[in-house]
């Protein structure tokens, strides 16, 4: 319903204001790909979790190749030779981009590098490649869908504009200032969004990165 869009004007107003929005530095760094890459290394997860729990988490972490490291870069190069369109690269320190209304996702390093030519150019750039990780391209199941934009327009995702959906859980972490006691650290809800499978399709501009389908807050 209309209530689902009510928060976005508030988000944009905060982003355009002089307010400084920032969670603790440790919290902001924890979900960066650089940290995820370090945790995936042998012994990384085990330094923080029991062996069985670390094994369960390691089983679902994606394979990663850091282009700033010689061995991993050489492995990534060989993989790209064999399957140029089977991989993508993402910035290890990609910043949050909010609603993308006041920050350019691509200008701040948030864009995904895909395609054999673009990835080869990245590999050849000795400075830029240090900040990128290569992942296997995810090929999700597609489906037809009808979505509604924030302007009230209805779009049918069929044929060339067929859609994909993704779901994610959201957590809340609250602690006393200065790295004090943890007050809350729990799952806060779940969200799902549907978008065109082809990010270059003209509908992508209408939907942005994805159309929010639902948000459920934990009581």
């Amino acid at each position: 319903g209309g209530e689902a869009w009510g928060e976005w004007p508030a988000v944009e107003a905060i982003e355009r204001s002089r307010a400084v929005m920032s969670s603790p530095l440790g919290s902001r760094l924890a979900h960066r790909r650089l940290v995820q890459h370090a945790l995936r290394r042998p012994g990384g997860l085990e330094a923080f979790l029991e062996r069985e729990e670390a094994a369960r988490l390691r089983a679902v972490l994606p394979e990663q190749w850091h282009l700033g490291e010689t061995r991993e870069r050489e492995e990534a190069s060989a993989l790209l030779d064999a399957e140029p369109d089977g991989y993508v690269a993402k910035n290890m320190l990609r910043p949050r981009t909010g609603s993308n209304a006041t920050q350019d996702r691509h200008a701040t390093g948030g864009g995904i590098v895909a395609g054999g030519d673009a990835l080869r150019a990245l590999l050849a750039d000795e400075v830029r490649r240090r900040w990128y990780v290569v992942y296997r391209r995810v090929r999700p199941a597609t489906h037809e869908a009808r979505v509604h934009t924030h302007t009230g327009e209805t779009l049918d995702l069929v044929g060339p504009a067929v859609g994909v959906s993704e779901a994610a859980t959201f957590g809340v972490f609250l602690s006393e200032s200065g790295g004090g006691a943890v007050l809350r650290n729990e799952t806060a809800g779940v969200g799902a969004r549907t978008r065109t499978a082809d990010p270059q399709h003209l509908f992508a501009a209408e939907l942005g990165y994805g159309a929010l389908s639902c948000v459920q807050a934990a009581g």
Side-chain angles (χ1 to χ4, degrees), residues 137-143 163-166 195 197:
R137 180 188 289 272
V138 175
R139 303 186 186 280
T142 59
H143 61 87
V164 294
S165 294
E166 51 191 13
R195 59 180 175 84

Side-chain angles (χ1 to χ4, degrees), residues 11 16 30 32 38 43 51 127 129 133 187:
V11 171
R16 293 185 182 281
R32 292 300 191 268
R51 182 173 299 179
V127 175
R129 72 189 183 195
V133 174
T187 301

Side-chain angles (χ1 to χ4, degrees), residues 14 19-20 33 61-62 74 79 88 110 119 130 164 166 184 201 205 212 219:
I14 293 174
V20 177
R33 296 186 180 98
L61 284 177
E74 291 175 348
L79 291 169
V88 298
L119 287 168
R130 292 182 298 171
V164 294
E166 51 191 13
R184 293 189 66 181
H201 192 276
L212 193 63

Side-chain angles (χ1 to χ4, degrees), residues 110-121:
I112 296 175
V113 180
D117 292 341
L119 287 168
R120 279 296 170 197

Side-chain angles (χ1 to χ4, degrees), residues 12 20 43 45 48 63 65 89 100 105 111 113 117 155 172 182 214:
E12 185 172 356
V20 177
L45 290 171
F48 302 96
E63 293 181 276
W65 294 269
N100 206 41
R105 187 185 306 277
V113 180
D117 292 341
L155 300 177
V172 57
V182 175
C214 65

Side-chain angles (χ1 to χ4, degrees), residues 23-68:
S23 51
L25 181 59
S27 176
R28 294 180 67 81
L29 290 176
H31 68 274
R32 292 300 191 268
R33 296 186 180 98
L34 177 61
V35 175
Q36 295 171 13
H37 177 268
L39 290 174
R40 195 181 186 280
R41 289 180 169 179
L45 290 171
E46 290 74 10
F48 302 96
L49 303 172
E50 295 295 331
R51 182 173 299 179
E52 291 185 0
E53 187 177 4
R56 290 196 299 270
L57 183 54
R58 188 177 296 282
V60 297
L61 284 177
E63 293 181 276
Q64 305 171 36
W65 294 269
H66 177 206
L67 298 183

